[in-house]
Amino acid sequence: MILTVARNRLMNLRHDRSAFVLSFVVPIVFFSIFAAIFGSASGRSTTNKIAVAVVDEDQTDSSRRFLEALRSEAGLKVATEVESTNKTEKPAPLTAATAEAAVRAGKFPVALVIPKGFGSVPIRFGPGGEHPRLILLSDPSDPIAPQVLAGLVQKVAMTSMPESMARGGMDEIDRWSGGLTPQQRARMEEVLAQIRQQRPIPSTGGPRTSETDSNAGLVSVEQRAVLGQKRKNPMIAFYAAGIGVMFLLFSAAGAGGALIEEAESGTLDRILSTRVSMTKLLAGKLLYLAWLAATQLLVMFVWGSMVFGLEMRGHWGGFLIMTVATALAASTFGLLLAAVSRSRMQLVALSNLSILAMSALGGSMFPRFLMPEFMQKIGLLTINAWAIDGFQKVFWREEPTSHLVPQVAVLIGIAIVLFAAARRLARKWEAT
Amino acid sequence: MTEAFPLEVRDVVKSFGSRRALDGVTLEVRPGEILGLLGPNGAGKTTLVRTVVGRAQPESGILRVYGQAPTDSAAIDSRGWVPQEIALYALLTPRENLWTFGRYQGLRAAALDEAIDRSLDWCGLADRAKDRTATLSGGMKRRLNMAAGTIHGPRFLLLDEPTVGVDPQSRERIYTMIGELKQRGVSLLYTTHYMEEAERLCDRIAIIDHGQIIASGTREELVRSTLGNRQTVTIDADAPIGPALHEKLTRMGATVEGTVVRVLADDPPRQIRELLEAFHAENTPIKDLTLKRASLEEVFLILTGRELRE
């Protein structure tokens, strides 16, 4: 009898394709997404370099060698020029100000400024004495990039500037030994010249050091966050947007399922026999879903501001623009899922699969900058990625609302395409 | 100029795959009448109704509601439809359901409020107007289903098997509601597979089978044209009918089902005497004997060769 019960359930599973998808396909898809993201030992693999803007204000031999060594680091993608908005103009060399602006705008997670005087101070071990100084400008929404760069800087200093370190040692000997003779000094200078001619040893693997800003290293790294210094919790806006959008999609899909229920109960037939056309019906559903989604986001952000200190003041304009665009895109997605599905169960399977996949790829579960580059590009196919980017611009980067044009345009574009697709698929419910 | 009929259907054909659901259907509903569309399950009743309300498109033929195509706005406003399913929002209250379908039919403001109150009274749910529809009994839901289909006051109503699965008491209530509609002058197309309903409610009856109208007219017309003056003799035996008696009865043109014997009699006195003699000869006692004028049941049996509820 027990076997009969089990076999009965198995027979049910065989006929229930939605349950089958939920049981086997969803886990495999998820496993694959996570494996692709974290497949290498860390999210930062050789395919996912840290983009760093470097400004060489020193322009000495030492700084140039240091910069060259940074460039040869496998884990870094070094930029020293900024592309002009006018494509015909040549890229301009980065300055401290333009590098900071680039970090603020999210083009780079970190920037490194090699200030004047960097090459004139020899590097040395230990906390005492003067160290060459570097300035690291960071965007705290990526907490990993500055730490990695700060560690790499120490390594690069060691491998690229051995003569500087040797000079430090020579100065110490000179100081504590009561002075070098001219012959000893000449010999030392000769050795230093030889060391200088040696090429830095290029790194073969990604950086793995966790050294942060410190005066205890070979060089002193002064780290400064260019964004969100005043905020209590810099990642709240990210999580509010990320989690908000994911649940928006879930609730839109659930509410869109009302269409399937209406079709199954015969209510849809009754509605379509009245003055209501299919286009009007879908438009009405969209209006409701968008209202629901916008209210959900509003509640989420207001809660974030009340409990977690998310600053709404000064951000309302951008918030409302992003909320409307995101709500429309998420709602049409819900409508499309309902129009594709043939039953409520199928809708559940399809929405779980697509929304969880979109949320993982689009950055709702973890920031996209943690993903390999190709995954970041795939993420751009999701509503989540564009919505989160837009909300980050508003709350994190505090950019003017005019900078939201790409995100809003893409989200509205998605909404139009998805609505058109849903309308086309809804033909199956029209008179046959 | 005379007004067009509430419904005119001419040679309508509708197929689903290789199956012809409607195979050249022709009928009309006249002003103020109830036309019963009688047929077994799968005969094409619901398909015909769906073409009239614009939810199915015929491949050929003509369909007119007050002279207009079914999807024409004038046709939509003048017709109502009560589908076979309880097509309501279970989470909403009866009032909210009526508000929704009233708005979908273009009612608004005071006219809508008035229509809701009138409909709630008509279907006897005024005191349950604020309860959730899901909590109503099956019969109440059926009545509310009717109210939702008539909220806009249509002149022509399609009622698709409104008493399916309803207890006798609720059925009587529904009959009363239909009577009130008729009194208001509403013309009805009433589909059913209950013979007694068709006999009781309908002015005329059209019998549909395999997508074709095989007969139509008043009850008397149908009986006379199909059966002439024949009457039904029914004998219920008080003991099992043996093979010898069974054979004799069959030779006499009777149908035997268990202990019940039925004969369509042209000459009842003679045929009753012969039947009684046969029972007597085979020593089989009789419990009951009736002589009735023929019903639609026999008409249907003669026309289609099968029982209505098969």
Side-chain angles (χ1 to χ4, degrees):
Chain A
M1 212 40 78
I2 293 169
L3 275 179
T4 310
V5 173
R7 191 168 168 189
N8 169 270
R9 291 319 308 160
L10 192 63
M11 288 191 292
N12 272 288
L13 178 66
R14 227 176 43 206
H15 291 294
D16 188 347
R17 263 192 283 175
S18 307
F20 195 84
V21 167
L22 276 177
S23 305
F24 299 106
V25 181
V26 173
I28 286 174
V29 168
F30 267 78
F31 165 66
S32 307
I33 291 173
F34 278 77
I37 293 170
F38 296 113
S40 48
S42 140
R44 304 278 189 200
S45 67
T46 48
T47 56
N48 187 28
K49 298 176 177 185
I50 295 171
V52 53
V54 180
V55 183
D56 183 2
E57 289 180 339
D58 193 35
Q59 294 291 338
T60 59
D61 233 20
S62 292
S63 70
R64 275 191 284 272
R65 272 206 311 286
F66 180 76
L67 179 55
E68 203 180 324
L70 278 178
R71 279 191 204 281
S72 66
E73 274 302 320
L76 296 179
K77 197 160 86 182
V78 173
T80 52
E81 292 172 326
V82 65
E83 271 186 30
S84 167
T85 45
N86 185 351
K87 299 253 164 153
T88 53
E89 283 178 30
K90 278 186 179 173
L94 281 162
T95 64
T98 55
E100 180 170 337
V103 172
R104 199 180 280 278
K107 289 177 184 152
F108 298 94
V110 274
L112 192 68
V113 180
I114 308 171
K116 276 202 180 313
F118 171 79
S120 61
V121 182
I123 59 177
R124 68 178 83 224
F125 285 107
E130 196 186 355
H131 294 266
R133 200 170 64 90
L134 289 169
I135 301 164
L136 196 157
L137 306 170
S138 68
D139 172 358
S141 69
D142 182 344
I144 295 168
Q147 292 191 34
V148 172
L149 182 62
L152 265 180
V153 157
Q154 305 299 338
K155 176 202 165 194
V156 167
M158 178 112 133
T159 54
S160 69
M161 300 156 73
E163 104 287 357
S164 176
M165 195 157 66
R167 182 178 295 284
M170 191 179 85
D171 290 350
E172 293 297 309
I173 294 166
D174 195 14
R175 187 170 149 205
W176 297 106
S177 66
L180 296 169
T181 65
Q183 288 84 354
Q184 285 171 319
R185 187 171 292 280
R187 177 69 191 133
M188 286 280 204
E189 289 295 344
E190 206 176 301
V191 171
L192 286 177
Q194 280 172 8
I195 293 171
R196 202 175 297 132
Q197 279 165 8
Q198 286 169 5
R199 304 292 304 160
I201 307 154
S203 165
T204 51
R208 293 291 178 269
T209 173
S210 62
E211 185 81 47
T212 57
D213 59 333
S214 156
N215 289 320
L218 297 169
V219 288
S220 157
V221 181
E222 179 191 321
Q223 217 182 99
R224 182 160 67 81
V226 300
L227 286 160
Q229 299 92 323
K230 292 177 202 157
R231 301 205 174 83
K232 286 186 210 160
N233 190 340
M235 296 302 277
I236 288 302
F238 166 77
Y239 286 119
I243 301 296
V245 173
M246 180 165 77
F247 279 91
L248 229 60
L249 289 168
F250 270 119
S251 59
L259 202 54
I260 293 171
E261 273 161 22
E262 283 170 340
E264 284 172 351
S265 70
T267 316
L268 187 63
D269 268 335
R270 176 173 246 172
I271 294 168
L272 294 174
S273 77
T274 66
R275 290 183 176 191
V276 182
S277 67
M278 182 55 91
T279 304
K280 282 183 191 166
L281 181 71
L282 289 183
K285 303 252 176 219
L286 174 64
L287 187 65
Y288 162 71
L289 290 174
W291 168 83
L292 180 72
T295 310
Q296 277 180 300
L297 277 177
L298 181 68
V299 168
M300 189 112 180
F301 275 76
V302 168
W303 176 258
S305 87
M306 281 168 19
V307 180
F308 299 105
L310 178 71
E311 268 178 57
M312 292 301 288
R313 205 167 359 141
H315 298 142
W316 278 105
F319 169 75
L320 290 175
I321 289 169
M322 278 313 300
T323 294
V324 170
T326 306
L328 282 171
S331 308
T332 50
F333 183 75
L335 273 185
L336 179 69
L337 282 184
V340 168
S341 307
R342 275 191 232 131
S343 66
R344 189 88 197 185
M345 267 310 290
Q346 203 178 55
L347 175 69
V348 170
L350 202 62
S351 55
N352 275 339
L353 182 65
S354 57
I355 295 170
L356 288 175
M358 278 201 344
S359 300
L361 291 169
S364 276
M365 296 182 180
F366 33 79
R368 280 171 59 235
F369 57 71
L370 287 178
M371 303 176 193
E373 258 178 45
F374 80 97
M375 293 295 277
Q376 291 189 29
K377 281 185 184 143
I378 293 173
L380 288 177
L381 294 172
T382 67
I383 293 171
N384 307 56
W386 292 96
I388 293 167
D389 283 356
F391 280 108
Q392 285 286 81
K393 276 187 174 178
V394 174
F395 286 95
W396 183 244
R397 306 192 187 290
E398 302 194 304
E399 292 184 31
T401 48
S402 60
H403 287 196
L404 297 173
V405 168
Q407 281 73 25
V408 170
V410 168
L411 288 170
I412 298 288
I414 288 173
I416 291 169
V417 170
L418 295 188
F419 186 81
R423 176 64 191 87
R424 196 176 172 78
L425 285 165
R427 278 184 187 175
K428 67 180 174 189
W429 288 312
E430 289 184 282
T432 49
Chain B
M1 199 179 97
T2 55
E3 196 189 34
F5 281 159
L7 176 67
E8 284 180 86
V9 180
R10 296 274 171 267
D11 302 318
V12 165
V13 173
K14 172 72 188 169
S15 306
F16 295 106
S18 59
R19 191 177 67 84
R20 278 209 164 180
L22 299 178
D23 192 7
V25 169
T26 296
L27 57 77
E28 81 273 331
V29 175
R30 298 166 191 166
E33 79 167 355
I34 300 180
L35 176 71
L37 187 62
L38 188 68
N41 289 329
K45 301 189 297 290
T46 296
T47 304
L48 179 62
V49 169
R50 287 176 64 80
T51 59
V52 177
V53 297
R55 297 297 300 132
Q57 282 180 342
E59 286 132 52
S60 62
I62 295 168
L63 263 162
R64 290 284 179 268
V65 176
Y66 287 106
Q68 307 294 325
T71 49
D72 189 278
S73 59
I76 291 171
D77 289 349
S78 58
R79 70 150 190 253
W81 174 35
V82 179
Q84 207 178 114
E85 303 86 13
I86 307 285
L88 299 166
Y89 293 99
L91 289 178
L92 302 191
T93 66
R95 180 173 284 281
E96 288 166 339
N97 265 300
L98 292 173
W99 180 89
T100 302
F101 290 107
R103 284 293 298 124
Y104 286 163
Q105 287 287 4
L107 297 178
R108 55 176 67 225
L112 177 59
D113 291 339
E114 199 183 308
I116 292 170
D117 290 337
R118 194 182 55 234
S119 295
L120 284 169
D121 281 340
W122 178 59
C123 67
L125 290 173
D127 58 334
R128 302 290 302 268
K130 290 182 178 170
D131 294 348
R132 282 211 304 199
T133 299
T135 65
L136 302 181
S137 71
M140 288 174 179
K141 284 180 194 160
R142 283 265 162 218
R143 272 148 43 205
L144 182 60
N145 205 31
M146 286 177 68
T150 53
I151 178 88
H152 57 301
R155 292 190 292 152
F156 167 51
L157 181 67
L158 295 114
L159 273 167
D160 196 1
E161 310 225 19
T163 57
V164 167
V166 169
D167 62 84
Q169 200 185 346
S170 296
R171 193 172 293 185
E172 281 303 320
R173 191 104 192 227
I174 288 172
Y175 294 159
T176 308
M177 287 169 71
I178 292 168
E180 285 170 14
L181 285 173
K182 189 170 162 56
Q183 273 185 353
R184 278 189 238 155
V186 177
S187 314
L188 281 105
L189 178 68
Y190 188 99
T191 78
T192 181
H193 63 267
Y194 294 131
M195 200 72 70
E196 52 278 20
E197 253 181 32
E199 290 193 315
R200 174 175 170 175
L201 297 172
C202 302
D203 300 307
R204 287 192 309 124
I205 292 158
I207 295 177
I208 186 168
D209 193 34
H210 297 302
Q212 293 179 322
I213 302 291
I214 51 177
S216 67
T218 62
R219 183 199 168 284
E220 285 69 26
E221 283 168 356
L222 284 173
V223 170
R224 202 178 317 121
S225 65
T226 314
L227 301 168
N229 290 321
R230 285 183 284 186
Q231 287 177 283
T232 309
V233 179
T234 310
I235 297 174
D236 193 2
D238 207 13
I241 292 170
L245 179 58
H246 195 287
E247 200 191 319
K248 271 188 193 172
L249 293 171
T250 311
R251 269 209 309 274
M252 292 162 75
T255 54
V256 182
E257 278 177 50
T259 58
V260 177
V261 178
R262 203 173 282 137
V263 179
L264 268 175
D266 305 317
D267 183 5
R270 177 182 60 80
Q271 285 170 287
I272 288 171
R273 194 183 65 237
E274 287 171 6
L275 286 165
L276 290 175
E277 280 171 4
F279 271 86
H280 180 70
E282 295 299 329
N283 227 5
T284 307
I286 290 171
K287 189 163 62 181
D288 191 29
L289 185 148
T290 54
L291 173 67
K292 275 199 318 187
R293 59 179 193 149
S295 70
L296 278 179
E297 197 98 36
E298 281 79 35
V299 171
F300 193 85
L301 192 67
I302 298 262
L303 289 174
T304 67
R306 58 197 172 121
E307 297 271 352
L308 185 59
R309 289 191 185 107
E310 273 175 14

